[in-house]
Amino acid sequence: MSWIANSPLTYLQQFCVNVIKCGPIPKHIAIIMDGNRRYATKAKVEKAEGHTRGFDKLAEALQWCLELGIPEVTVYAFSIENFKRSQSEVDTLMKLATEKFQKLLDEREKIMAEGVCIRIIGNMSLLSQELRKLIAEAVLMTKDNNRAFLNVAFAYTARDEMVNTARKVVEGVEKGAIEADDVDEDLISRCLYTGDRQDPDIIVRTSGEVRFSDYLLWQISNSYICFTEVLWPEFCIWHLLACVFKYQRCYNDLKKNNVKIIKNERVKSFVEGLEQEKLMQLKSYI
Ligand code: FPP
Ligand code: MG
């Protein structure tokens, strides 16, 4: 399956989407796609098939988000902790990612026509050269698209992200690019892998697990949390609509995410420098 599904909604689904769209729509949803292996056991298929169906579900979920007018989605596709799984499962997940990024490049017209910008958040130095190259090509190819944003957390944990951020900030101070007094919440936010993106309004975790597993710990401080029992490959549009509906019900009580604007010129040029470095790094992978 491609990265964005194209299956028509039923009349009832379309009607409910239209009703939900009358209320406030989140600008950004983060998803922990959990339960692929339990689904595989339940459906009596191989684990690898569970993950493949997990990817197919991601493509469907992206279509539903676009239909709902949610412009940004961040998904947890591979945690650094997942490297501790059996070598054969790690290989399976890496092979799946390699195939899917290759497919994305093969179908470039499609993703460019959809206007989707794909970004990777994570520690790319932990990935194979082949996968790094494919990811870099996909990210660079789509970097100017702005109709929708898909952030794929791959080889990611929030703690690794924070360590990486602290290193960048310390280096900036040591080199004199910024001063110690410049370090504040806005600067830290901009130095995270998520950079200038807005924080998620909702975080969804499937499969009944009630924890964050080191996912976007800085970014979800004001997000509406939605834990749902369904296993990820069985997630359907009704689950998504239920999450958005619950978010709408407490919308007035939620602290709104502000756009990250940096006014200090010194900090601005430091952050721009980091963005350039990221770009150069990606180019070096090709
Ligand atoms: C969690 O279920 C799922 C994962 C660790 C992998 C998620 C990956 C995908 C859905 C494919 C995405 C690929 C790309 C390229 C974006 P689990 O394995 O923890 O299952 P369990 O909780 O039932 O054990
Ligand atoms: Mg799991």
Side-chain angles (χ1 to χ4, degrees), residues 53-99:
R53 292 193 197 172
F55 178 85
D56 295 346
K57 187 54 67 177
L58 166 61
E60 283 185 74
L62 291 176
Q63 183 196 343
W64 303 329
C65 286
L66 284 176
E67 308 253 7
L68 270 166
I70 301 168
E72 183 156 8
V73 179
T74 301
V75 290
Y76 211 178
F78 192 87
S79 150
I80 291 175
E81 286 295 305
N82 291 154
F83 279 113
K84 294 181 185 156
R85 292 188 177 189
S86 71
Q87 193 55 48
S88 81
E89 191 179 349
V90 172
D91 291 347
T92 298
L93 283 163
M94 292 299 158
K95 188 165 160 264
L96 179 65
T98 306
E99 278 169 19

Side-chain angles (χ1 to χ4, degrees), residues 3 33-39 51 54-55 58 76-77 82 85 89 93 96-97 100-101 152 154 232:
W3 280 67
M33 311 179 285
D34 197 17
N36 291 353
R37 295 182 300 184
R38 275 167 282 166
Y39 166 82
H51 291 308
F55 178 85
L58 166 61
Y76 211 178
N82 291 154
R85 292 188 177 189
E89 191 179 349
L93 283 163
L96 179 65
K100 296 303 177 185
F101 278 102
V152 181
F154 207 92
W232 174 248

Side-chain angles (χ1 to χ4, degrees), residues 69-247:
I70 301 168
E72 183 156 8
V73 179
T74 301
V75 290
Y76 211 178
F78 192 87
S79 150
I80 291 175
E81 286 295 305
N82 291 154
F83 279 113
K84 294 181 185 156
R85 292 188 177 189
S86 71
Q87 193 55 48
S88 81
E89 191 179 349
V90 172
D91 291 347
T92 298
L93 283 163
M94 292 299 158
K95 188 165 160 264
L96 179 65
T98 306
E99 278 169 19
K100 296 303 177 185
F101 278 102
Q102 185 60 61
K103 192 169 170 66
L104 184 121
L105 293 169
D106 294 343
E107 297 179 343
R108 61 189 69 214
E109 295 78 24
K110 225 166 162 178
I111 199 89
M112 297 310 278
E114 298 274 11
V116 179
C117 168
I118 297 199
R119 297 160 45 120
I120 296 293
I121 55 169
N123 189 336
M124 292 200 34
S125 71
L126 301 174
L127 303 178
S128 71
Q129 217 178 343
E130 183 196 14
L131 186 52
R132 264 205 307 252
K133 179 173 184 288
L134 291 172
I135 288 177
E137 281 178 340
V139 172
L140 290 171
M141 176 180 86
T142 61
K143 76 177 173 45
D144 297 323
N145 290 349
N146 56 13
R147 181 172 164 242
F149 298 87
L150 170 63
N151 309 310
V152 181
F154 207 92
Y156 174 90
T157 58
R159 285 173 175 231
D160 174 73
E161 180 180 38
M162 288 178 199
V163 169
N164 179 64
T165 299
R167 286 201 184 122
K168 281 188 214 159
V169 172
V170 168
E171 204 181 293
V173 173
E174 277 174 359
K175 286 187 175 161
I178 46 171
E179 291 176 6
D181 281 350
D182 293 330
V183 182
D184 59 12
E185 290 183 16
D186 290 333
L187 173 64
I188 300 285
S189 289
R190 290 293 297 263
C191 295
L192 294 169
Y193 291 138
T194 40
D196 62 354
R197 307 309 314 160
Q198 271 206 47
D199 291 339
D201 300 299
I202 303 182
I203 173 163
V204 179
R205 182 177 190 145
T206 58
S207 90
E209 300 294 336
V210 182
R211 53 199 156 85
F212 292 126
S213 299
D214 219 343
Y215 187 46
L216 301 175
L217 296 183
W218 176 282
Q219 297 88 339
I220 58 170
S221 57
N222 295 309
S223 307
Y224 178 77
I225 303 164
C226 201
F227 292 116
T228 163
E229 293 288 324
V230 65
L231 302 174
W232 174 248
E234 294 179 330
F235 190 77
C236 69
I237 191 167
W238 303 115
H239 297 108
L240 179 64
L241 291 175
C243 291
V244 177
F245 178 64
K246 286 187 216 161
Y247 160 82

